[in-house]
């Protein structure tokens, strides 16, 4: 029997239950969201689907703080699809893009720009630290020809929250259009389109909105979408202007969407708006503090300083000689899913408290983590024996 095989299966102290996702998307969703998928069969051109699409677009704009002044366009595809749709649709031939990156997902913006042969400069800042607004100001001062700025609000590769509202004001004063990847922040981190001058906000269904994977969206003012007519398409499927025209003028999708996922997103948005962004952020943060406290008491080093942490993702160093891949694989086999961290040289993993996560779920995480480390790295973690014997974790 190998070490890894000894931790496969549900630990004896945990009653049988479904797999636990502690990942930054997909996330555990409410039962009503899951059930919405099987509510009924729908054709994508019929009235019920068109009404649902219109309602979902309205709710997305409301969740982002845009209310009646903003609208949204829905796309079938992951958040990356919506990012690519924006970058290739809103940048004319003479555009100059400044990408602000402090991690893997900031780098993704640069990679998309390269594929579409956009003129692009990257302001690369320290990984694991929030973007310094002063650095953005200095970069814009040095490059007055920049027409568009793009960055990530929640860099989930390590759980860093970037100060997008402050940077938005700097970008607006300088003049460029501001593109924000809010894929892992919309619904749980502070960003209000009514007050924060963001021109293009990109989101995804399957993270803090707590819907199912497969749908993404773009929020902007209607006049921004209308202005895309003058630019012309760089993509057939991802032409944001054509999607906007179909959805805004005809209340219909441009192409066949993931219809059943649309029903789930509608339900998830109702729940998100009922709960509110600040209460949801507080719920995530409370569970994240439970995670961080438990990791710290086990002697596991947290990688992001307190002021720069998001409400929902925690990165910690995996004790050597154990690798992050091996730890995550073993925990997944035991029914608890976490991810290896990226953007850092050392072995690290991330734990997310997005979605329908409970205090008991975090307890379960620590039970599995303790049992896994005891087998795979018995000398690599300092454990609180009293609390373990009491069954607290």
């Amino acid at each position: 029997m190998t070490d890894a095989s000894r931790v496969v299966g549900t630990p004896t102290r945990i009653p049988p239950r479904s797999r636990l996702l502690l990942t930054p998307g997909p996330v555990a969703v409410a039962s009503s969201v899951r059930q919405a998928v099987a509510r009924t069969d729908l054709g994508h051109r019929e009235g019920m689907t068109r009404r649902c699409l219109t309602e979902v677009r309205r709710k997305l704009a409301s969740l982002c703080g845009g209310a009646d002044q903003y609208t949204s366009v829905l796309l079938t595809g992951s958040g990356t699809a919506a990012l690519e749709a924006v970058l290739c649709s809103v940048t004319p031939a003479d555009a100059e893009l400044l990408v602000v990156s402090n991690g893997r997902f900031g780098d993704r913006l640069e990679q998309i720009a390269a594929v579409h042969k956009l003129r692009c400069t990257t302001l690369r800042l320290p990984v694991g630290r929030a973007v310094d607004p002063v650095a953005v100001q200095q970069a814009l001062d040095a490059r007055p020809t920049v027409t568009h700025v793009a960055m990530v609000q929640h860099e989930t590769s390590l759980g860093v929250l970037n100060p997008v509202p402050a940077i938005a004001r700097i970008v607006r004063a300088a003049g460029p259009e501001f593109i924000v990847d809010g894929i892992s922040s919309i619904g749980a981190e502070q960003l209000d389109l009514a007050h924060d001058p963001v021109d293009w906000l990109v989101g995804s269904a399957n993270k803090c909105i707590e819907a199912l994977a497969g749908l993404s969206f773009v929020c902007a003012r209607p006049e921004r979408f209308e202005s895309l007519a003058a630019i012309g398409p760089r993509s057939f499927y991802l032409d944001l202007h054509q999607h906007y025209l179909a959805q805004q003028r005809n209340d219909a999708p441009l192409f066949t969407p993931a219809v059943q996922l649309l029903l789930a997103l509608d339900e998830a948005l109702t729940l998100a708006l009922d709960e509110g962004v600040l209460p949801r952020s507080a719920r995530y943060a409370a569970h994240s503090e439970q995670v961080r406290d438990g990791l710290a008491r086990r002697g596991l080093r947290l990688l992001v300083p307190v002021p720069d942490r998001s409400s929902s993702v925690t990165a910690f160093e995996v004790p050597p000689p154990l690798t992050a891949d091996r730890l995550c694989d073993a925990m997944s086999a035991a029914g608890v899913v976490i991810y290896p961290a990226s953007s850092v040289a050392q072995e690290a993993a991330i734990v997310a408290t997005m979605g329908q996560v409970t205090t008991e779920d975090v307890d379960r995480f620590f039970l599995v983590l303790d049992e896994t480390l005891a087998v795979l790295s018995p000398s690599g973690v300092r454990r609180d024996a009293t609390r373990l014997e009491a069954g607290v974790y």
Side-chain angles (χ1 to χ4, degrees), residues 52-60 74 262 265-266 269:
C52 186
L53 173 63
T54 300
E55 185 66 3
V56 162
R57 293 178 60 226
R58 182 192 67 79
K59 290 177 180 177
L60 286 169
L74 200 68
L262 184 64
L265 177 55
D266 185 42
L269 284 166

Side-chain angles (χ1 to χ4, degrees), residues 9-224:
T10 305
T12 55
R13 286 173 284 175
I14 301 174
R17 57 178 295 182
S18 61
R19 285 162 55 80
L20 173 60
L21 293 180
L22 294 176
T23 64
V27 301
V29 303
S31 58
S32 62
V33 172
R34 192 175 296 107
Q35 291 161 4
V37 174
R39 188 179 302 153
T40 185
D41 291 331
L42 287 175
H44 73 286
R45 297 290 181 184
E46 65 172 296
M48 183 175 177
T49 303
R50 292 166 70 153
R51 288 190 294 273
C52 186
L53 173 63
T54 300
E55 185 66 3
V56 162
R57 293 178 60 226
R58 182 192 67 79
K59 290 177 180 177
L60 286 169
S62 180
L63 185 67
C64 295
D68 297 335
Q69 297 181 341
Y70 283 73
T71 188
S72 64
V73 168
L74 200 68
L75 298 168
T76 294
S78 69
T80 306
L83 281 175
E84 186 164 1
V86 169
L87 287 174
C88 75
S89 296
V90 312
T91 49
D94 60 350
E96 183 175 344
L97 175 68
L98 174 67
V99 167
V100 181
S101 178
N102 61 334
R104 173 188 172 189
F105 294 106
D107 291 348
R108 175 175 61 179
L109 294 167
E110 179 187 45
Q111 292 162 357
I112 295 171
V115 167
H116 290 278
K117 297 180 172 55
L118 304 179
R119 280 200 300 160
C120 178
T121 300
T122 300
L123 173 62
R124 213 172 297 281
L125 296 170
V127 170
R129 299 295 182 269
V131 169
D132 182 358
V134 173
V136 178
Q137 180 71 72
Q138 292 172 342
L140 289 171
D141 290 343
R143 300 190 71 89
T145 53
V146 166
T147 60
H148 296 73
V149 176
M151 67 176 293
V152 175
Q153 183 177 26
H154 181 192
E155 179 55 72
T156 47
S157 58
L158 288 176
V160 175
L161 185 65
N162 290 320
V164 161
I167 293 170
R169 292 189 288 274
I170 291 171
V171 175
R172 174 59 57 87
E177 293 185 26
F178 193 27
I179 302 164
V180 173
D181 173 348
I183 290 170
S184 297
S185 57
I186 294 172
E189 301 292 358
Q190 189 59 45
L191 183 63
D192 190 332
L193 289 176
H195 301 99
D196 302 320
V198 172
D199 297 291
W200 303 97
L201 180 61
V202 178
S204 179
N206 62 300
K207 297 181 185 287
C208 301
I209 294 177
E210 300 186 4
L212 299 174
L215 293 174
S216 55
F217 60 92
V218 180
C219 279
R221 291 184 182 273
E223 56 267 29
R224 289 288 186 189

